[in-house]
Amino acid sequence: MTTAPGFLPTAAGAPAAHAAYLPARGGLGLKPEHFRTILETLPDLGFFEIHAENYMVDGGPFHHYLTQIRSHYPLSVHGVGLSIGGEGPLDEEHLDRLAVLITRYEPQSFSEHLAWSSHGDIFLNDLLPAPYNTATLQRVCDHIDRVHERLGRRMLLENPATYVEFAASTQAETDFIGEVVKRTGCGLLLDVNNVYVSCTNHGRDAQNYIDAFPLAATAQIHLAGFAKDVDAAGAPLLIDSHGSPIAQTVWDLYRFTLERTGPLPTLIERDNDIPAFAVLHAEAQQAEKLLQTCRIKVAA
């Protein structure tokens, strides 16, 4: 298998926004509702993140604003359409479009999900889980190797939020991801909200789950809100909705995680019921406070 290349080097004299890695600060998902506010106020933020599939066109208003915002801030690109966990080969046309986007904006980070979202010519508007077994492991590693080869940079793999588990699984999710990291050299995008959602849904201890991940490979953290429901048996069921403020229990788990990883780039995700920019900025500032506390403890 191929060894994952590092992030692409930058030219001498490039602005700070084009440094090779995201800063260990709070960042926000870039939403069109906030384009003008961002450019008018240039808020104090560590970085912005975009969904790759929203920018896979040559021009238009999204590129018009992103080009300007990119000149001021580091950028993370987060993919939702590669179907890393899918049974078939990667969609090479999709990968080519992704490569064009990466070359155009030279982001500090690129990530994708441990999930599948397509089957043959059918694309499903969801991120679906896969069984954790030998066949899936080989397939996921082959797909990540291909992404590394095509993009010429290291990919981060995000742990999913799950609502069901497969009888066909022979490995724990954390062991599976650890083996993928070991075989491919990819990094881990640790979604703390996804950990909390999955552990609540499956009756596991979230802190123990965090400790079982390959934390040394973690290069970015995601935080988001969830929705509450109940399953057919009346047990609590959490949904990774990205449509509400981050719960205090997730903030607590984030603090627990930072004590083990040290400060890391941390994204606040909000994809539904988008509030005013100031609301999301306040959550990013809350992450910044916890990151600063973490720095002080590390330095002590």
Side-chain angles (χ1 to χ4, degrees), residues 152-233:
R153 61 165 58 220
R154 185 190 193 203
M155 189 193 96
L156 307 183
L157 184 66
E158 179 180 349
N159 58 292
T162 57
Y163 313 103
V164 296
E165 294 183 305
F166 289 88
S169 291
T170 57
Q171 292 177 277
E173 179 180 83
T174 50
D175 293 338
F176 183 94
I177 291 176
E179 189 63 24
V180 171
V181 167
K182 179 181 177 181
R183 293 191 185 193
T184 68
C186 74
L188 173 63
L189 193 170
L190 182 52
D191 192 311
V192 173
N193 182 65
N194 285 356
V195 171
Y196 185 78
V197 165
S198 295
C199 286
T200 299
N201 291 341
H202 304 311
R204 297 195 176 95
D205 183 277
Q207 292 186 354
N208 290 342
Y209 215 71
I210 290 288
D211 281 334
F213 276 107
L215 295 180
T218 309
Q220 189 179 346
I221 289 175
H222 275 186
L223 301 174
F226 57 76
K228 294 182 179 180
D229 204 340
V230 293
D231 63 18

Side-chain angles (χ1 to χ4, degrees), residues 14 24 78 82 103 129 167 176 183 187 190 224 262 281:
H78 188 52
L82 271 179
T103 299
F176 183 94
R183 293 191 185 193
L190 182 52
H281 191 200

Side-chain angles (χ1 to χ4, degrees), residues 62-73:
F62 276 31
H63 283 296
H64 170 76
Y65 286 106
L66 179 57
T67 298
Q68 297 177 70
I69 291 169
R70 177 69 179 102
S71 70
H72 296 285
Y73 296 95

